[in-house]
Amino acid sequence: MAELKLFRTWSSTFALRVVWALNLKGIQYDTIFEDLSNKSSLLLQYNPIYKKVPVLVHNGKPLVESLLILEYIDETWKQTPLLPEDPSERATARFWAKFGDDKVLLSVWNVFIKQGKDKEEAIVTAQENLGFVERQLTGKKFFNGETIGFVDLAFGWLANLPSVWEEICGVTLIDHEKFPMLSEWIQNFAGAPIIKESWPPRDKLITKYQALHEVYTSKEAPK
Amino acid sequence: MAKNDVKVLGAWPSPYVMRPRIALNIKSVNYEFLEETFGSKSELLLQSNPVHKKIPVLIHGDKPICESMIIVEYIDEVWTSGPSILPSDPYDRAIQRFWAAYVDEKWFAAMRGLRSAQGEERKAFLDQVTEGLALLEEAFGKCSKGKAFFGGDRIGLLDIAFGSFLGWLKVTEKVNGVKLLDEAKTPGLVKWAERFCADAAVKNVMPETEKLLEFSKVLAAKMKGAPPPKN
């Protein structure tokens, strides 16, 4: 029986991608929860360059970087495929996942932590990026079509974190009028059983991000 | 396959543009190279890559594919009769992709930082670049298992990802008066670099260091003359 261990934290949405992928494919694994302020020696051994979660260890061999781990899982366990078969559809899926991590995430986070004029500019950038993402849902329930796939897992954080951040900083970024398809995707994705059962507790997330918000906004406050 | 079925939009100095060209050469696929004019973006580029407006773009039939390493994987998946660019074992594939991403996100980011940095900042970037090369030397030992390339007997994904930066690495060495690839510290990479640049799939698309050096001066002048970035 293959030995599979996942190093994660209670809140990391990058680690959640791996949880979802393994659960969707019905794969058994052990979980090790890390405290990032006190990283275990095992974590540092398995991920010496980035020292981050998630790390998936399969038969003693470590894999890091959540999207790469998803590709590994998809290539190793063929049931419930995450990526489509057609090469150009695969390239498209990889493109949007990368856009999400490289641009969308940071732009939405900036809306959360910036103030004043910077915040206004951050909102414009975030909404431009979200516009590109919204259009990818045209005629589809999920980014992958009828079922959850690679891009849905990559954007999973959108179905959870922005609403936490919006509650804390009082800005509604993903409103139903501007982003009707994305709003509906959020409902569908967040409500899917495999996804719903693994969300971190919302009250804990609010506490965590409230504290972070205070740190960032006190730094940025005008003198 | 008809030559005009496959097009690459790009520019000769760009290491990112080299990547799909090397991949197509490995697969012996004919393609049309459409060069962008430095300083402007063609209609075709803006239409094919509306999100990033950047090169390279591969246009296969009427489908645009963007992002250099995504294009390389696409090429590997479409032209299956040619030599494989990625290994078949999922763990080996993950290792190649990991280091390719490291080269782009960490190592070349430090190289770019080096370009305009001064004093202490410059030293810090140089240290990062050198540390990265030590890591890549170790990775080379593990991935190549004594063979010529990261990919084994033939050029693979990681060779393409890292090797495409060799032209700019040589320019950086000249401009900064440093040796980055060094027979004492990175002997494996020194020999690998020679083999990579001499490979049939690479040599016609790798720019000459002198030409690249001239271009880097034009680029630096343009960046100096550019309006200050918005804060």
Coordinates of all heavy atoms in Angstrom, one line a residue, chain A residues 62-122:
Chain A
P62 N 9.4 13.6 -1.7 CA 8.7 14.8 -1.5 C 8.3 15.5 -2.8 O 9.1 15.6 -3.7 CB 9.6 15.7 -0.7 CG 11.0 15.3 -1.1 CD 10.9 13.8 -1.5
L63 N 7.1 16.1 -2.8 CA 6.7 17.0 -3.9 C 6.2 18.3 -3.3 O 5.5 18.3 -2.3 CB 5.5 16.3 -4.7 CG 5.9 15.1 -5.4 CD1 5.0 13.9 -5.0 CD2 5.9 15.2 -6.9
V64 N 6.6 19.4 -4.0 CA 6.2 20.7 -3.5 C 5.6 21.6 -4.6 O 5.7 21.2 -5.8 CB 7.5 21.4 -2.8 CG1 8.1 20.6 -1.8 CG2 8.5 21.8 -3.9
E65 N 5.1 22.7 -4.2 CA 4.4 23.6 -5.1 C 3.0 23.0 -5.5 O 2.9 22.1 -6.3 CB 5.2 24.0 -6.4 CG 6.5 24.7 -6.0 CD 6.3 26.1 -5.4 OE1 5.9 27.0 -6.2 OE2 6.5 26.2 -4.2
S66 N 1.9 23.6 -5.0 CA 0.6 23.0 -5.1 C 0.2 22.6 -6.5 O -0.4 21.5 -6.7 CB -0.4 23.9 -4.4 OG -0.5 25.1 -5.0
L67 N 0.4 23.5 -7.5 CA -0.1 23.2 -8.8 C 0.7 22.0 -9.4 O 0.2 21.2 -10.2 CB 0.0 24.4 -9.7 CG -1.0 25.5 -9.4 CD1 -0.9 26.7 -10.4 CD2 -2.5 25.0 -9.3
L68 N 2.0 22.0 -9.1 CA 2.8 20.8 -9.6 C 2.4 19.5 -8.9 O 2.4 18.5 -9.5 CB 4.3 21.1 -9.3 CG 5.0 22.3 -10.0 CD1 6.5 22.2 -9.8 CD2 4.7 22.3 -11.4
I69 N 2.0 19.6 -7.6 CA 1.5 18.5 -6.9 C 0.2 18.0 -7.6 O 0.0 16.8 -7.8 CB 1.3 18.8 -5.4 CG1 2.6 19.2 -4.7 CG2 0.6 17.6 -4.7 CD1 2.4 19.6 -3.3
L70 N -0.6 18.9 -8.0 CA -1.9 18.5 -8.6 C -1.6 17.7 -9.9 O -2.2 16.7 -10.2 CB -2.7 19.7 -8.9 CG -4.0 20.0 -8.1 CD1 -3.7 19.8 -6.6 CD2 -4.6 21.3 -8.3
E71 N -0.6 18.2 -10.7 CA -0.3 17.6 -11.9 C 0.3 16.1 -11.7 O -0.1 15.2 -12.3 CB 0.8 18.4 -12.7 CG 0.3 19.7 -13.2 CD 0.4 19.9 -14.7 OE1 0.4 18.9 -15.5 OE2 0.4 21.1 -15.2
Y72 N 1.1 16.0 -10.6 CA 1.6 14.7 -10.2 C 0.5 13.8 -9.8 O 0.5 12.6 -10.2 CB 2.6 14.9 -9.0 CG 3.1 13.6 -8.5 CD1 4.2 12.9 -9.1 CD2 2.5 13.0 -7.4 CE1 4.7 11.7 -8.6 CE2 3.0 11.8 -6.9 CZ 4.1 11.2 -7.5 OH 4.5 10.0 -7.0
I73 N -0.4 14.3 -9.0 CA -1.6 13.4 -8.6 C -2.4 13.0 -9.8 O -2.7 11.8 -9.9 CB -2.5 14.2 -7.6 CG1 -1.7 14.4 -6.3 CG2 -3.8 13.5 -7.4 CD1 -2.4 15.4 -5.3
D74 N -2.6 13.9 -10.7 CA -3.4 13.6 -11.9 C -2.7 12.5 -12.8 O -3.3 11.7 -13.4 CB -3.7 14.8 -12.7 CG -5.0 14.8 -13.4 OD1 -6.0 14.2 -12.9 OD2 -5.2 15.4 -14.5
E75 N -1.4 12.6 -12.8 CA -0.6 11.6 -13.7 C -0.4 10.3 -13.0 O -0.2 9.3 -13.7 CB 0.8 12.2 -14.0 CG 0.7 13.4 -15.0 CD 2.0 14.2 -15.1 OE1 3.0 13.7 -14.6 OE2 2.0 15.2 -15.8
T76 N -0.5 10.3 -11.7 CA -0.3 9.0 -10.9 C -1.6 8.2 -10.7 O -1.6 7.0 -10.8 CB 0.4 9.3 -9.6 OG1 1.6 10.1 -9.8 CG2 0.8 8.1 -8.8
W77 N -2.7 9.0 -10.4 CA -4.0 8.3 -10.2 C -4.9 8.8 -11.2 O -5.4 10.0 -11.2 CB -4.5 8.7 -8.8 CG -3.6 8.1 -7.7 CD1 -3.7 6.8 -7.2 CD2 -2.6 8.7 -6.9 NE1 -2.8 6.6 -6.2 CE2 -2.1 7.7 -6.0 CE3 -2.0 10.0 -6.9 CZ2 -1.1 8.0 -5.1 CZ3 -1.0 10.2 -6.0 CH2 -0.5 9.3 -5.1
K78 N -5.3 7.9 -12.1 CA -6.0 8.3 -13.4 C -7.5 8.5 -13.2 O -8.2 9.1 -14.1 CB -5.8 7.2 -14.5 CG -4.3 6.9 -14.7 CD -3.7 8.0 -15.5 CE -2.3 7.6 -16.0 NZ -1.5 8.6 -16.6
Q79 N -8.1 8.1 -12.1 CA -9.6 8.2 -11.9 C -9.9 9.7 -11.7 O -9.1 10.4 -11.2 CB -10.1 7.4 -10.8 CG -9.7 7.8 -9.4 CD -8.3 7.2 -8.9 OE1 -7.5 6.9 -9.7 NE2 -8.1 7.1 -7.6
T80 N -11.1 10.1 -12.0 CA -11.6 11.5 -11.9 C -10.5 12.5 -12.4 O -9.9 13.2 -11.6 CB -11.9 11.8 -10.4 OG1 -12.7 10.7 -9.9 CG2 -12.8 13.1 -10.4
P81 N -10.2 12.5 -13.7 CA -9.1 13.4 -14.2 C -9.4 14.8 -13.8 O -10.5 15.3 -13.9 CB -9.1 13.1 -15.7 CG -10.1 12.1 -16.0 CD -10.9 11.8 -14.8
L82 N -8.3 15.5 -13.5 CA -8.4 17.0 -13.2 C -8.2 17.8 -14.4 O -8.8 18.9 -14.6 CB -7.4 17.3 -12.1 CG -7.5 16.6 -10.8 CD1 -6.3 16.9 -9.9 CD2 -8.8 16.9 -10.1
L83 N -7.2 17.4 -15.2 CA -6.9 18.1 -16.5 C -7.6 17.4 -17.6 O -7.8 16.2 -17.6 CB -5.4 18.1 -16.7 CG -4.7 19.3 -16.0 CD1 -3.2 19.0 -16.0 CD2 -4.9 20.6 -16.7
P84 N -8.1 18.2 -18.7 CA -8.7 17.6 -19.8 C -7.6 16.8 -20.6 O -6.4 16.9 -20.4 CB -9.2 18.8 -20.7 CG -8.5 20.0 -20.2 CD -8.0 19.7 -18.8
E85 N -8.1 16.0 -21.6 CA -7.1 15.2 -22.4 C -6.5 16.0 -23.5 O -5.4 15.8 -23.9 CB -7.8 14.0 -23.0 CG -7.9 12.9 -22.0 CD -8.1 11.5 -22.6 OE1 -7.7 11.3 -23.7 OE2 -8.7 10.7 -21.9
D86 N -7.3 16.9 -24.2 CA -6.9 17.6 -25.3 C -5.7 18.5 -25.0 O -5.9 19.3 -24.1 CB -8.0 18.3 -26.0 CG -7.6 19.2 -27.1 OD1 -7.3 18.7 -28.2 OD2 -7.5 20.5 -26.9
P87 N -4.6 18.5 -25.7 CA -3.4 19.3 -25.4 C -3.7 20.8 -25.4 O -3.2 21.5 -24.5 CB -2.4 19.0 -26.5 CG -2.8 17.6 -27.0 CD -4.2 17.5 -26.8
S88 N -4.6 21.3 -26.3 CA -4.8 22.8 -26.3 C -5.7 23.1 -25.1 O -5.5 24.2 -24.5 CB -5.3 23.3 -27.6 OG -6.7 22.9 -27.8
E89 N -6.6 22.3 -24.7 CA -7.4 22.5 -23.5 C -6.5 22.4 -22.2 O -6.7 23.2 -21.3 CB -8.6 21.5 -23.4 CG -9.7 21.8 -24.4 CD -10.8 20.7 -24.4 OE1 -11.1 20.2 -23.3 OE2 -11.3 20.4 -25.4
R90 N -5.6 21.5 -22.2 CA -4.7 21.4 -21.1 C -3.8 22.7 -21.0 O -3.6 23.3 -19.9 CB -3.7 20.2 -21.3 CG -4.4 18.9 -21.1 CD -3.6 17.8 -21.7 NE -2.4 17.5 -20.9 CZ -2.5 16.6 -19.8 NH1 -3.7 16.1 -19.5 NH2 -1.5 16.4 -19.1
A91 N -3.3 23.2 -22.1 CA -2.5 24.4 -22.1 C -3.4 25.6 -21.6 O -2.9 26.4 -20.8 CB -2.0 24.7 -23.5
T92 N -4.7 25.6 -22.0 CA -5.6 26.7 -21.5 C -5.8 26.6 -20.0 O -5.7 27.6 -19.3 CB -6.9 26.6 -22.3 OG1 -6.7 26.7 -23.7 CG2 -7.9 27.7 -21.8
A93 N -6.0 25.4 -19.5 CA -6.2 25.2 -18.1 C -4.9 25.7 -17.3 O -5.0 26.4 -16.3 CB -6.5 23.7 -17.8
R94 N -3.7 25.3 -17.8 CA -2.5 25.7 -17.1 C -2.3 27.2 -17.2 O -1.9 27.8 -16.2 CB -1.3 25.0 -17.8 CG -1.2 23.5 -17.5 CD -0.2 22.8 -18.3 NE -0.1 21.4 -18.0 CZ 0.2 20.4 -18.8 NH1 0.4 20.7 -20.1 NH2 0.3 19.2 -18.4
F95 N -2.7 27.8 -18.3 CA -2.6 29.2 -18.4 C -3.4 30.0 -17.4 O -2.9 30.9 -16.7 CB -3.0 29.7 -19.8 CG -3.1 31.1 -20.0 CD1 -2.0 31.8 -20.5 CD2 -4.2 31.9 -19.7 CE1 -2.0 33.2 -20.7 CE2 -4.2 33.3 -19.9 CZ -3.1 33.9 -20.4
W96 N -4.7 29.5 -17.2 CA -5.5 30.2 -16.3 C -5.1 30.0 -14.8 O -5.2 30.9 -14.0 CB -7.0 29.9 -16.5 CG -7.5 30.6 -17.8 CD1 -7.7 30.0 -19.0 CD2 -7.6 32.0 -18.0 NE1 -8.1 30.9 -19.9 CE2 -8.0 32.2 -19.4 CE3 -7.4 33.1 -17.2 CZ2 -8.2 33.4 -20.0 CZ3 -7.6 34.4 -17.8 CH2 -8.0 34.5 -19.1
A97 N -4.7 28.8 -14.5 CA -4.2 28.5 -13.2 C -3.0 29.4 -12.8 O -2.9 30.0 -11.7 CB -3.8 27.0 -13.0
K98 N -2.1 29.6 -13.8 CA -0.9 30.4 -13.6 C -1.3 31.9 -13.5 O -0.8 32.6 -12.6 CB 0.0 30.2 -14.8 CG 1.4 30.9 -14.6 CD 2.3 30.5 -15.8 CE 3.8 30.7 -15.5 NZ 4.2 32.1 -15.2
F99 N -2.2 32.3 -14.3 CA -2.7 33.7 -14.2 C -3.3 34.0 -12.8 O -3.1 35.0 -12.2 CB -3.8 33.9 -15.3 CG -4.4 35.3 -15.3 CD1 -3.7 36.4 -15.5 CD2 -5.8 35.5 -14.9 CE1 -4.2 37.7 -15.5 CE2 -6.3 36.7 -14.9 CZ -5.6 37.8 -15.2
G100 N -4.1 33.0 -12.3 CA -4.7 33.1 -11.0 C -3.6 33.3 -9.9 O -3.7 34.2 -9.1
D101 N -2.6 32.5 -9.9 CA -1.5 32.6 -8.9 C -0.6 33.8 -9.1 O -0.2 34.4 -8.1 CB -0.7 31.3 -8.9 CG -1.4 30.2 -8.0 OD1 -2.5 30.4 -7.6 OD2 -0.8 29.1 -7.9
D102 N -0.3 34.1 -10.4 CA 0.7 35.2 -10.6 C 0.0 36.5 -10.5 O 0.7 37.5 -10.1 CB 1.3 35.1 -12.0 CG 2.2 33.9 -12.2 OD1 2.6 33.3 -11.2 OD2 2.6 33.6 -13.3
K103 N -1.2 36.7 -10.9 CA -1.8 38.0 -10.9 C -3.1 38.2 -10.1 O -3.2 39.2 -9.3 CB -2.3 38.4 -12.4 CG -1.1 38.3 -13.4 CD -0.3 39.6 -13.4 CE 0.8 39.5 -14.5 NZ 1.9 40.2 -14.2
V104 N -4.0 37.3 -10.2 CA -5.3 37.5 -9.5 C -5.2 37.6 -8.0 O -5.7 38.5 -7.4 CB -6.4 36.5 -9.9 CG1 -7.7 36.8 -9.4 CG2 -6.5 36.3 -11.5
L105 N -4.5 36.6 -7.5 CA -4.4 36.5 -6.0 C -3.8 37.7 -5.4 O -4.4 38.4 -4.5 CB -3.6 35.3 -5.6 CG -3.3 35.0 -4.2 CD1 -4.6 34.8 -3.4 CD2 -2.5 33.7 -4.0
L106 N -2.7 38.2 -5.9 CA -2.0 39.4 -5.4 C -2.9 40.6 -5.6 O -3.0 41.4 -4.7 CB -0.7 39.6 -6.1 CG 0.1 40.8 -5.6 CD1 0.5 40.6 -4.2 CD2 1.4 41.0 -6.5
S107 N -3.6 40.7 -6.7 CA -4.4 41.9 -6.9 C -5.6 42.0 -6.0 O -5.9 43.0 -5.5 CB -4.9 42.0 -8.4 OG -5.8 41.0 -8.7
V108 N -6.2 40.8 -5.6 CA -7.3 40.8 -4.7 C -6.8 41.1 -3.3 O -7.4 41.8 -2.5 CB -8.1 39.5 -4.7 CG1 -9.1 39.4 -3.7 CG2 -8.7 39.3 -6.1
W109 N -5.6 40.5 -2.9 CA -5.0 40.7 -1.6 C -4.7 42.2 -1.4 O -4.8 42.7 -0.3 CB -3.7 39.9 -1.5 CG -2.9 40.0 -0.3 CD1 -1.6 40.6 -0.3 CD2 -3.2 39.7 1.0 NE1 -1.2 40.6 1.0 CE2 -2.1 40.0 1.8 CE3 -4.3 39.1 1.6 CZ2 -2.0 39.8 3.2 CZ3 -4.3 38.9 3.0 CH2 -3.1 39.2 3.8
N110 N -4.2 42.9 -2.5 CA -3.9 44.3 -2.4 C -5.1 45.1 -2.1 O -5.0 46.1 -1.3 CB -3.3 44.8 -3.7 CG -1.8 44.5 -3.8 OD1 -1.2 44.2 -2.8 ND2 -1.3 44.5 -5.0
V111 N -6.3 44.7 -2.5 CA -7.5 45.5 -2.2 C -7.7 45.4 -0.7 O -8.1 46.3 0.0 CB -8.7 44.9 -2.9 CG1 -10.0 45.5 -2.4 CG2 -8.6 45.1 -4.4
F112 N -7.4 44.2 -0.1 CA -7.6 43.9 1.3 C -6.6 44.8 2.2 O -7.0 45.3 3.2 CB -7.4 42.4 1.5 CG -7.5 42.0 3.0 CD1 -8.6 42.3 3.7 CD2 -6.5 41.3 3.6 CE1 -8.7 41.8 5.0 CE2 -6.6 40.9 4.9 CZ -7.7 41.2 5.6
I113 N -5.4 44.9 1.7 CA -4.4 45.5 2.6 C -4.1 47.0 2.3 O -3.5 47.7 3.2 CB -3.1 44.7 2.7 CG1 -2.4 44.7 1.3 CG2 -3.3 43.3 3.2 CD1 -1.0 44.2 1.3
K114 N -4.4 47.4 1.1 CA -4.0 48.8 0.8 C -5.1 49.8 1.3 O -6.2 49.4 1.6 CB -3.8 49.0 -0.7 CG -2.8 48.1 -1.3 CD -1.5 48.8 -1.5 CE -0.5 47.8 -2.1 NZ 0.9 48.1 -1.8
Q115 N -4.6 51.1 1.4 CA -5.6 52.1 1.8 C -5.6 53.3 0.9 O -4.6 53.5 0.1 CB -5.1 52.6 3.2 CG -5.3 51.6 4.3 CD -5.1 52.2 5.6 OE1 -3.9 52.5 6.0 NE2 -6.1 52.4 6.4
G116 N -6.6 54.1 1.0 CA -6.7 55.4 0.2 C -6.6 55.2 -1.3 O -7.3 54.3 -1.9
K117 N -5.8 56.0 -1.9 CA -5.6 56.0 -3.4 C -5.1 54.6 -3.8 O -5.6 54.1 -4.9 CB -4.7 57.1 -3.8 CG -4.8 57.4 -5.3 CD -4.1 58.7 -5.6 CE -4.2 59.0 -7.1 NZ -3.4 58.0 -7.9
D118 N -4.2 54.0 -3.1 CA -3.6 52.7 -3.5 C -4.7 51.7 -3.5 O -4.7 50.8 -4.4 CB -2.6 52.3 -2.5 CG -1.3 53.1 -2.6 OD1 -1.1 53.7 -3.7 OD2 -0.5 53.1 -1.7
K119 N -5.7 51.8 -2.6 CA -6.8 50.8 -2.5 C -7.7 51.0 -3.7 O -8.0 50.0 -4.4 CB -7.6 51.0 -1.2 CG -8.6 49.9 -0.9 CD -9.5 50.3 0.2 CE -10.1 49.1 0.9 NZ -9.2 48.3 1.7
E120 N -7.9 52.2 -4.1 CA -8.8 52.5 -5.3 C -8.1 51.9 -6.5 O -8.8 51.3 -7.4 CB -9.0 54.0 -5.5 CG -10.0 54.6 -4.6 CD -10.0 56.1 -4.6 OE1 -9.6 56.7 -5.6 OE2 -10.3 56.7 -3.5
E121 N -6.8 52.1 -6.7 CA -6.1 51.5 -7.9 C -6.1 50.0 -7.8 O -6.2 49.4 -8.8 CB -4.7 52.1 -7.9 CG -4.6 53.5 -8.4 CD -3.2 54.1 -8.3 OE1 -2.2 53.3 -8.1 OE2 -3.1 55.3 -8.5
A122 N -6.0 49.5 -6.6 CA -6.0 48.0 -6.4 C -7.3 47.4 -6.9 O -7.3 46.4 -7.5 CB -5.6 47.6 -5.0

